[in-house]
Amino acid sequence: MATRTKRKLGDILKEAQLITEAEILEALGKKKDRQKLGDALVEQGYITEKQLIEVLEIQLGISTVSLYRFPIDEQLIELIPKEVARTNVLIPIELKDHVLTVAMNDPLDYFAIDDLELLTSYQVKTVMATKEDILQAINKYYDKGKLDQEDEENAPAIQILDQILQTGVTLRASDVHLDANETSVNVRYRVDGTLQSDRTLPKRIQNALVARIKILANLNITETRLPQDGRIRMMIDSKPIDLRVSTLPTVFGEKVVIRILDLTNIFKKLTELDFNQKTLEQFSEIIKSPSGLILLTGPTGSGKTTTLYGSINELNQEDVNIITVEDPVEYQLEGINQVQVNSNVGLTFAAGLRSILRQDPNIIMVGEIRDKETAEIAIRSSLTGHLVFSTLHTNSAIDALPRLFDMGIEPYLVVSSLTGVMAQRLVRKICKDCKTTRAITALEAEIFEKRGIPITELSEGTGCNSCRGTGYRGRMAIHELLMIDDAIKRMMLEQVSMNDIKTYVREQGMNFLIDDGLEKAKQGWTTLEEVMRVATAE
């Protein structure tokens, strides 16, 4: 066994002046059970993973590797069991002159290194890689041989599905797509709103794989001609994950889409939802109203549900009766009564909402207003002393007003009930590890000048291992909040044009989506391209 100088991570980070003793103690106090100090510091935002790796590289002289470009010798995988690799976040990558090179996320884990030397009988040399990179490599290389088995038995389907789902969680994907083709099955992941292909599976395992998913989701495995929906609750990487499963018959077999709902990520406070200070204060104020209708608008996948649940969590007290009617119930919330819409037995949004009113609620959440009947009951509920939250599919906050009128709702009802409308979109965040700043172009300067925002430089991601070359990692929301004041109520009753209302709210200093997006681009959170992709100039 090699002798090595054992140093503590905390000491190394203090020497590099990245962190103080007090911050280390604070992080240790907040960290989860069995979580390593490095992971806790990164998760709590004291340092980035890139800073951590750079410091260890300089202080310990350990080089870093990019695994998704590295030619890993697949025969080495058999040297270390998958569970050992996953638990310790490491993977063997090279064997030369009786020295086994192992990529590790924590090269200071001397116990793991000693165990590896005993297990493999080789001297272990460590190199560093990011946690995500190693976990993706483990998912890619372990169990790979099982795909190449010639038998068409069900055995490999279990491992393959576990592998697909683990990769989805590691990538922080929102959806997994299994696309049935004529000769193969494509696996794609939606990461930060963008679909990316991952691998191709042999056609012969398609039926076994779909059957395995259906069994877990309690679906009818003999029914292949009709779409089906179900859900699975399971632990992946020690995290509780809810999976929503949707199957759709296509000409080459059933296409399956699995929505990954990470239960550790949904319960966010309003302060964690990327609001600018002014919008946060205004929104916090209107959700504390005793009654009224609050609408969230935006297309599918714009984070409306997260904001709704964040608002309800804020209001969830013992002395408050909160009831929701949703289609589907995405996340099950403690202490909140949730009703699942079921049109097959006549439990529509409108029927559910009528029943809710007999349950003595203080706060009601209606998943979505789709028709006149639901809109009218929601509005009348808000007029009889209830606080009602719901969503609409419109492009902007102001567009919610004509949408309600178009549904046939009387203007006086809208005026009496509506308290505020929030529109939101999701934009990709610049990857922290490859973020650079540059001077802005004349064209970019013009866009900011039109909105009255002075700026000289912008940030962007150059693409690195952490973000798999995209320059983006994670997403954040941009918002606009329309507060319904007496002047807007009067304008609605007089049925003035939406342009006049828009002019009025702009004069009152309302921040539109584009303004919030440009401010966040100025602060270096996102890029101008991302903002322009989701928000149009007014």
Side-chain angles (χ1 to χ4, degrees):
M1 256 184 239
T3 56
R4 50 181 72 86
T5 312
K6 299 190 175 184
R7 297 181 64 194
K8 288 184 175 174
L9 177 64
D11 296 337
I12 292 170
L13 292 172
K14 280 190 293 184
E15 265 177 50
Q17 296 182 338
L18 271 183
I19 199 158
T20 63
E21 180 71 29
E23 286 171 328
I24 290 171
L25 292 171
E26 207 172 301
L28 286 169
K30 288 191 222 162
K31 84 178 179 74
K32 299 167 191 159
D33 282 352
R34 296 184 184 171
Q35 190 181 31
K36 291 183 176 176
L37 175 62
D39 288 344
L41 291 170
V42 171
E43 192 179 288
Q44 293 172 32
Y46 289 107
I47 52 172
T48 67
E49 192 168 17
K50 187 185 181 189
Q51 284 176 320
L52 179 62
I53 284 173
E54 280 174 353
V55 165
L56 292 177
E57 198 171 9
I58 294 162
Q59 299 278 345
L60 303 178
I62 298 174
S63 56
T64 58
V65 290
S66 168
L67 291 182
Y68 83 108
R69 293 198 190 98
F70 196 91
I72 292 176
D73 182 347
E74 292 179 33
Q75 289 176 323
L76 298 178
I77 297 301
E78 293 165 20
L79 291 173
I80 298 173
K82 184 181 179 184
E83 274 315 301
V84 173
R86 284 197 73 82
T87 307
N88 297 293
V89 195
L90 54 85
I91 189 166
I93 60 173
E94 198 174 52
L95 180 61
K96 210 182 265 182
D97 304 330
H98 216 69
V99 175
L100 180 67
T101 304
V102 178
M104 296 184 72
N105 179 239
D106 180 9
L108 295 173
D109 190 345
Y110 303 113
F111 293 112
I113 297 168
D114 290 346
D115 289 347
L116 288 182
E117 291 187 337
L118 282 170
L119 182 70
T120 63
S121 305
Y122 291 118
Q123 185 186 330
V124 169
K125 175 191 167 195
T126 56
V127 291
M128 275 184 300
T130 64
K131 187 175 184 178
E132 215 164 275
D133 212 9
I134 294 171
L135 291 175
Q136 283 172 30
I138 291 170
N139 290 337
K140 182 177 174 184
Y141 290 103
Y142 280 87
D143 298 335
K144 200 172 182 185
K146 291 178 181 139
L147 298 184
D148 303 327
Q149 291 175 3
E150 284 307 313
D151 67 298
E152 291 189 35
E153 294 302 311
N154 289 1
I158 295 170
Q159 288 97 329
I160 292 163
L161 181 61
D162 287 350
Q163 201 183 345
I164 286 168
L165 294 176
Q166 270 183 345
T167 302
V169 171
T170 306
L171 287 170
R172 298 196 189 97
S174 58
D175 302 88
V176 182
H177 288 239
L178 303 176
D179 298 315
N181 299 320
E182 191 170 5
T183 57
S184 63
V185 178
N186 273 3
V187 181
R188 294 188 294 169
Y189 296 99
R190 189 174 293 283
V191 180
D192 294 340
T194 309
L195 262 180
Q196 54 189 51
S197 291
D198 183 72
R199 70 185 86 172
T200 304
L201 301 174
K203 182 75 174 174
R204 59 185 151 75
I205 67 157
Q206 180 183 333
N207 291 343
L209 191 59
V210 173
R212 172 69 184 158
I213 294 166
K214 285 183 171 181
I215 288 165
L216 288 173
N218 290 323
L219 301 179
N220 182 351
I221 62 169
T222 60
E223 180 55 81
T224 58
R225 299 160 303 167
L226 290 172
Q228 295 187 69
D229 292 301
R231 68 188 307 155
I232 305 166
R233 166 74 65 93
M234 66 198 304
M235 297 294 283
I236 300 176
D237 289 346
S238 312
K239 287 198 289 190
I241 303 285
D242 249 3
L243 305 170
R244 281 222 323 263
V245 176
S246 168
T247 68
L248 182 73
T250 71
V251 286
F252 297 123
E254 289 175 281
K255 173 181 166 71
V256 181
V257 175
I258 302 170
R259 166 67 59 89
I260 299 175
L261 304 167
D262 184 347
L263 300 177
T264 55
N265 274 348
I266 184 64
F267 306 117
K268 290 189 172 178
K269 298 175 182 164
L270 289 181
T271 49
E272 299 171 319
L273 295 178
D274 314 310
F275 287 110
N276 68 45
Q277 196 53 40
K278 179 185 167 191
T279 308
L280 176 63
E281 284 166 10
Q282 290 177 329
F283 190 65
S284 300
E285 186 188 317
I286 64 167
I287 68 168
K288 291 192 174 83
S289 311
S291 63
L293 175 64
I294 297 168
L295 293 176
L296 269 84
T297 78
T300 305
S302 57
K304 299 190 297 292
T305 305
T306 305
T307 306
L308 273 180
Y309 284 166
S311 310
I312 282 174
N313 262 341
E314 200 96 346
L315 302 168
N316 190 10
Q317 308 287 337
E318 267 185 35
D319 58 349
V320 175
N321 182 17
I322 302 176
I323 307 183
T324 77
V325 52
E326 303 169 63
D327 182 21
V329 172
E330 286 201 28
Y331 295 95
Q332 283 145 14
L333 301 169
E334 190 78 26
I336 289 170
N337 310 285
Q338 294 171 279
V339 179
Q340 167 82 49
V341 165
N342 185 348
S343 305
N344 297 335
V345 294
L347 180 52
T348 59
F349 273 120
L353 196 42
R354 274 200 198 91
S355 307
I356 281 174
L357 291 170
R358 293 193 279 275
Q359 292 280 321
D360 183 31
N362 301 92
I363 297 166
I364 300 167
M365 179 184 121
V366 188
E368 190 184 335
I369 291 178
R370 294 178 185 168
D371 52 49
K372 180 183 178 182
E373 192 182 8
T374 311
E376 276 195 335
I377 304 167
I379 284 170
R380 290 186 190 279
S381 307
S382 70
L383 292 174
T384 52
H386 304 94
L387 182 61
V388 181
F389 290 90
S390 192
T391 69
L392 268 182
H393 285 274
T394 63
N395 288 330
S396 69
I398 288 171
D399 286 343
L401 307 178
R403 173 63 56 86
L404 290 170
F405 298 152
D406 291 346
M407 281 181 177
I409 310 295
E410 292 295 335
Y412 76 89
L413 283 176
V414 178
V415 166
S416 315
S417 61
L418 199 59
T419 312
V421 186
M422 166 106 80
Q424 70 176 66
R425 297 285 189 284
L426 292 179
V427 291
R428 289 184 293 170
K429 283 161 78 172
I430 296 170
C431 171
K432 285 181 190 168
D433 292 346
C434 59
K435 181 174 165 182
T436 57
T437 51
R438 58 165 177 82
I440 62 167
T441 65
L443 195 63
E444 289 166 340
E446 197 180 317
I447 294 168
F448 281 89
E449 272 167 27
K450 271 185 187 166
R451 310 302 300 182
I453 301 170
I455 187 169
T456 54
E457 59 181 26
L458 278 174
S459 298
E460 60 190 8
T462 54
C464 68
N465 194 31
S466 301
C467 60
R468 299 187 89 64
T470 60
Y472 296 102
R473 194 152 177 250
R475 289 191 291 175
M476 71 185 304
I478 60 171
H479 309 90
E480 67 180 24
L481 178 60
L482 173 66
M483 305 273 283
I484 308 294
D485 63 13
D486 290 340
I488 295 173
K489 288 180 179 179
R490 194 174 60 252
M491 290 166 139
M492 284 197 286
L493 280 174
E494 291 167 3
Q495 297 189 341
V496 303
S497 76
M498 288 304 132
N499 276 338
D500 289 349
I501 294 179
K502 200 176 276 185
T503 304
Y504 167 75
V505 294
R506 189 182 287 125
E507 285 166 359
Q508 295 301 302
M510 174 175 154
N511 252 12
F512 290 95
L513 280 172
I514 184 93
D515 301 314
D516 194 33
L518 292 178
E519 275 297 339
K520 281 166 181 164
K522 180 182 177 177
Q523 288 160 16
W525 290 106
T526 186
T527 61
L528 181 59
E529 288 75 18
E530 275 296 290
V531 175
M532 300 313 286
R533 181 176 63 83
V534 300
T536 51
E538 298 301 318

